[in-house]
Amino acid sequence: MDAKTCIEKLKLVGVLSFATVDSKGNPQIRCISAIHFDKDSFYFFTARGKDFFGELLENGKVQILAYTRFKEMIRLSAKAEPAPESEQEEKINTIFAQQPYLSNIYPGDTRKIGMIFEIRNAEIEYFNLGVKPIFRESYTLGAGTLSEKGYIISDSCIGCGKCQRGCPQQCITSGTPYRIQQEHCLHCGNCYENCPVKEVWKRGVK
């Protein structure tokens, strides 16, 4: 699996869930299919009068989620930016050509109420629940950065094996210290809660 394959899977899903936060701090989610994928980025259309538009202009932060019939979750964390003015008309026409239903919603020149946003840099998380053990990895699109998630076992591990016995995916291997196989970890926190010496750490916290 890699970032390119994840983007190809997003294309196949077609309708993606976009999450933002409104001015009152409330989460907002919408399903969007007015999307065009380029080689190294993708674009989407929304109307300037929508709350979604205002939320994107506020800070651009967005999470995009897709779930496939094979129990794969793909999540992008990114910042959406308005596409250059010189590209707006071309990109709008491209999306409308690829998604003919949009012409029923915005007939003729009414499509000019819309704006194209682009995503070039993102963190991509891939999570497959359809295999055993589960599989997860993170990738970057463009200049995106990876955030630390999940758990690690410190060098002060006493080797009692309680974390290993309680792991639902059996993805903890014996050693000094015991080690979590990050690509198979659920991030459920069972090892963290049950370590008798509190030497399982949440990544990015300690």
Side-chain angles (χ1 to χ4, degrees):
M1 190 59 60
D2 54 27
K4 182 179 179 181
T5 305
C6 287
I7 296 299
E8 290 299 319
K9 287 179 178 289
L10 293 182
K11 289 184 189 180
L12 293 174
V13 172
V15 180
L16 307 180
S17 298
F18 282 63
T20 56
V21 175
D22 68 16
S23 60
K24 296 180 180 179
N26 299 313
Q28 304 291 332
I29 300 177
R30 7 355 231 166
C31 294
I32 295 179
S33 62
I35 304 168
H36 169 65
F37 291 89
D38 274 351
K39 181 181 178 182
D40 300 314
S41 61
F42 62 95
Y43 304 81
F44 60 95
F45 172 93
T46 190
R48 293 192 297 275
K50 291 183 177 290
D51 291 341
F52 182 41
F53 177 84
E55 291 155 15
L56 291 171
L57 284 187
E58 181 70 24
N59 59 31
K61 291 182 179 180
V62 63
Q63 275 202 339
I64 302 165
L65 184 68
Y67 195 71
T68 78
R69 64 189 181 93
F70 302 108
K71 310 303 181 188
E72 301 164 293
M73 184 274 288
I74 301 168
R75 178 169 57 200
L76 278 76
S77 299
K79 185 172 184 180
E81 303 274 4
E85 184 62 34
S86 60
E87 298 179 12
Q88 285 287 330
E89 184 176 0
E90 174 198 350
K91 296 300 184 185
I92 288 174
N93 290 340
T94 296
I95 287 177
F96 272 65
Q98 293 174 344
Q99 304 284 348
Y101 80 94
L102 289 170
S103 293
N104 296 325
I105 302 171
Y106 299 100
D109 285 346
T110 64
R111 68 178 63 180
K112 292 180 180 179
I113 191 60
M115 179 177 278
I116 296 293
F117 285 82
E118 63 179 342
I119 290 177
R120 293 187 175 275
N121 308 306
E123 176 183 16
I124 303 175
E125 297 174 84
Y126 174 81
F127 190 25
N128 191 340
L129 290 170
V131 295
K132 187 174 177 63
I134 62 93
F135 177 79
R136 75 185 311 144
E137 274 188 336
S138 295
Y139 320 102
T140 56
L141 178 68
T145 58
L146 299 181
S147 55
E148 288 191 326
K149 295 182 179 180
Y151 298 86
I152 57 172
I153 300 172
S154 83
D155 290 339
S156 298
C157 166
I158 61 173
C160 68
K162 191 170 184 179
C163 59
Q164 185 184 57
R165 292 189 296 273
C167 177
Q169 287 295 305
Q170 292 299 291
C171 69
I172 300 177
T173 57
S174 303
T176 309
Y178 276 54
R179 185 181 69 86
I180 299 171
Q181 300 172 55
Q182 297 297 331
E183 69 274 20
H184 302 307
C185 178
L186 282 170
H187 297 180
C188 69
N190 197 51
C191 55
Y192 174 80
E193 290 190 3
N194 288 286
C195 176
V197 290
K198 305 302 179 187
E199 290 301 330
V200 178
W201 299 349
K202 194 164 188 176
R203 299 175 75 186
V205 174
K206 185 173 180 178

